[in-house]
Amino acid sequence: MNTRMWGGRFSEGPDAIMEEINASIGFDRKLFRQDIEASKAHATMLAATGIIGREDAEKIVEGLDTILREIEAGKFKFQRSLEDIHTHVEARLKQLIGAAAGRLHTARSRNDQVATDFRLWVRDAIDQIDAGLRDLQQALAEKALANAGTIMPGFTHLQTAQPVTFGHHLLAYVEMIARDRGRFADARKRLNENPLGSAALAGTSFPIDRAMTSKALGFARPTANSLDAVSDRDFALETLAAASICSVHLSRFAEEVVVWCSAGFNFIRLSDRFTTGSSIMPQKRNPDAAELSRAKTGRIIGSLTGLLIVMKGLPLAYSKDMQEDKEQVFDAIESLVLAIAATAGMVRDMAANAEAMKRAAGASYATATDLADWLVRTLGMPFRRAHEVTGEVVALAEKKGVALEEVSLAEMRKIEPAITAEVFGVLGVEASVKSRTSLGGTAPANVRREAKRWLARLAREAAT
């Protein structure tokens, strides 16, 4: 019995090398659930439109349900000779129900079949990613609320710039992830069109009802052009692009975790649950979860680049090059899902060393900008002049080897006679962060309000 969909045209079997390069069952078996779901919708539609008999359609659906149970239970036998998941399902269906199985492929091609399956898989993956990202936002917002008043240095160029709060820093990642979720939502909206019924490339002469299969599969509408429908992989590229940007955000956070855990910073501590030891140095506690999450970014971006290159020279419509789309998408999505979960775990696990953070926040004259602002606000000095005066005060403090607030009033007045003792009220790190009350600023009151707003929003999302 010939089990290949295209065997009738050929008198010889494929060369072993041809069979090896052509086979995709090693990876596209991941599409089994989507393939069976789409096939059930297709069979039901064929019966409803009178293209096949209802009895045959019922047999097909029952057989497909049996195959689904077999695969889920690990009892299904996959064979390299049956090149892809579609052939496996159809061959097994024929074993189960006989000749009626051959009616399933009426009015469709493997081209629109795989395009449909792949869209369904990517759509499911986006939903999984969104749930993971929402959980990460929850973890960050909770930790931010708990650390709304925990003072730490804010950096530019990785140089101490101004004091901020740890909670404010964590909320920055909540905002980044919100944009990531928006990108995935946009990609999901655009991919949610149904290619099924486009057949090989030109549509079909059978009186199919594409709106019916679209509704059954949860698509918003059928695709409008059959050529585009079978050859489009924009939905995969968009999802990989969103995944790449998201992974960059996770990598930036992971880098900060690695830095914060180091002895030079000692800002946070991760427990044994998210660290590993050294094979030779018993004192080591390595932030491997962060490092591995950071490394996943290379794989994810590489997957996007790889698929872009696969697609760049393909004429319409389908080419077998597109078989190279799935491994890259599967790997990227799995890597991202794992990195998201690891990051959420680290956020919940980490404990802030408030004393070390505050000490670092007061170093390197981090409140110099507060002095300049005070000169503008209180003395009415033009900012450029205030910047110059502050620079001179900082230079004096540096020369003396003291903190900014340890420069005496008399010494400051030698630089600017109008300075008063009131200036010392803005030179401490607590006063600095408390004063940053502008919208989006680091003041603890702002951070508490924003963290609570996010937690309320996430609770509403979870409820709906």
Side-chain angles (χ1 to χ4, degrees):
M1 180 184 69
N2 180 31
T3 54
R4 293 186 177 87
M5 294 183 179
W6 41 267
R9 167 66 176 81
F10 292 77
S11 57
E12 293 184 79
D15 186 90
I17 295 297
M18 179 61 202
E19 191 167 278
E20 182 67 21
I21 197 172
N22 193 50
S24 60
I25 190 58
F27 52 86
D28 73 11
R29 67 176 65 184
K30 289 181 183 292
L31 299 174
F32 75 89
R33 189 170 285 105
Q34 290 78 19
D35 190 70
I36 290 171
E37 181 183 3
S39 291
K40 287 168 64 177
H42 185 65
T44 302
M45 179 275 296
L46 291 176
T49 53
I51 296 172
I52 68 173
R54 291 191 178 277
E55 185 177 343
D56 284 341
E58 289 171 2
K59 288 181 181 179
I60 289 170
V61 170
E62 289 174 6
L64 290 169
D65 283 337
T66 299
I67 295 170
L68 179 61
R69 289 192 295 270
E70 289 176 348
I71 297 176
E72 289 177 334
K75 297 178 179 179
F76 189 91
K77 185 178 180 181
F78 291 99
Q79 304 173 56
R80 190 76 170 168
S81 59
L82 300 179
E83 60 191 76
D84 56 32
I85 187 62
H86 323 295
T87 312
H88 274 79
V89 170
E90 191 166 330
R92 177 58 176 149
L93 187 63
K94 187 170 185 179
Q95 291 175 348
L96 290 171
I97 67 171
R103 301 190 184 280
L104 175 58
H105 210 57
T106 307
R108 76 172 184 186
S109 162
R110 191 159 43 168
N111 293 354
D112 62 338
Q113 186 179 358
V114 70
T116 303
D117 294 354
F118 199 22
R119 281 181 186 248
L120 289 171
W121 191 93
V122 172
R123 190 178 70 183
D124 291 342
I126 288 175
D127 292 343
Q128 182 184 10
I129 290 167
D130 185 70
L133 290 175
R134 185 174 65 243
D135 180 64
L136 177 53
Q137 285 183 301
Q138 178 87 19
L140 287 163
E142 289 171 351
K143 190 69 72 172
L145 183 59
N147 289 275
T150 303
I151 296 171
M152 69 175 291
F155 299 95
T156 60
H157 311 277
L158 204 56
Q159 303 295 312
T160 300
Q162 292 178 262
V164 296
T165 67
F166 189 38
H168 189 60
H169 196 112
L170 294 175
L171 286 178
Y173 285 97
V174 176
E175 295 292 334
M176 291 185 208
I177 294 163
R179 295 192 296 273
D180 291 325
R181 293 181 65 193
R183 277 183 281 270
F184 281 114
D186 288 344
R188 190 190 194 283
K189 182 178 180 181
R190 270 185 291 278
L191 77 76
N192 203 31
E193 294 183 342
N194 180 23
L196 197 58
S198 299
L201 76 163
T204 178
S205 59
F206 289 96
I208 60 173
D209 186 345
R210 296 189 65 205
M212 181 179 175
T213 54
S214 297
K215 183 177 180 180
L217 296 172
F219 285 114
R221 65 191 68 82
T223 51
N225 182 284
S226 59
L227 285 167
D228 178 56
V230 299
S231 62
D232 168 47
R233 293 299 183 269
D234 287 2
F235 64 91
L237 290 168
E238 275 197 80
T239 302
L240 287 178
S244 295
I245 297 171
C246 180
S247 71
V248 167
H249 292 155
L250 298 180
S251 184
R252 294 180 71 182
F253 184 77
E255 172 71 11
E256 298 205 289
V257 169
V258 171
V259 170
W260 291 342
C261 283
S262 67
F265 279 75
N266 193 27
F267 283 2
I268 64 169
R269 179 182 174 85
L270 291 173
S271 76
D272 295 349
R273 296 174 65 239
F274 287 92
T275 56
T276 65
S278 165
S279 63
I280 190 172
M281 296 170 284
Q283 82 281 9
K284 294 290 293 298
R285 183 189 293 273
N286 300 322
D288 283 4
E291 292 172 0
L292 289 167
S293 296
R294 183 175 59 185
K296 296 291 185 187
T297 302
R299 293 176 65 162
I300 295 167
I301 294 172
S303 294
L304 170 61
T305 303
L307 185 54
L308 283 167
I309 294 170
V310 166
M311 296 300 297
K312 73 173 181 60
L314 300 187
L316 294 179
Y318 180 83
S319 296
K320 199 61 180 279
D321 307 52
M322 293 182 193
Q323 183 168 290
E324 294 296 315
D325 57 2
K326 296 168 198 65
E327 282 186 283
Q328 299 179 75
V329 173
F330 293 159
D331 183 76
I333 296 303
E334 289 170 3
S335 295
L336 181 62
V337 168
L338 183 56
I340 291 168
T343 304
M346 285 188 292
V347 170
R348 291 192 168 97
D349 184 71
M350 67 173 56
N353 184 343
E355 182 179 343
M357 284 185 173
K358 185 177 180 180
R359 184 168 56 250
S364 302
Y365 311 108
T367 57
T369 305
D370 297 276
L371 172 56
D373 288 348
W374 182 86
L375 293 171
V376 171
R377 187 172 56 250
T378 304
L379 303 185
M381 191 178 291
F383 183 79
R384 286 302 172 200
R385 172 58 185 159
H387 190 282
E388 182 180 349
V389 169
T390 300
E392 292 183 39
V393 174
V394 169
L396 176 61
E398 192 171 36
K399 182 178 180 181
K400 290 170 62 68
V402 299
L404 203 58
E405 59 269 30
E406 293 174 332
V407 177
S408 70
L409 180 60
E411 289 171 319
M412 288 190 196
R413 281 177 168 167
K414 288 181 181 179
I415 296 170
E416 172 51 60
I419 294 176
T420 69
E422 182 186 337
V423 72
F424 292 100
V426 301
L427 295 182
V429 291
E430 294 93 343
S432 176
V433 297
K434 188 176 180 180
S435 71
R436 306 295 172 181
T437 56
S438 60
L439 181 64
T442 191
N446 284 16
V447 175
R448 291 187 187 93
R449 182 170 58 252
E450 278 299 293
K452 289 177 181 178
R453 182 182 70 83
W454 269 110
L455 290 170
R457 173 176 167 177
L458 295 168
R460 288 194 299 271
E461 288 181 6
T464 56

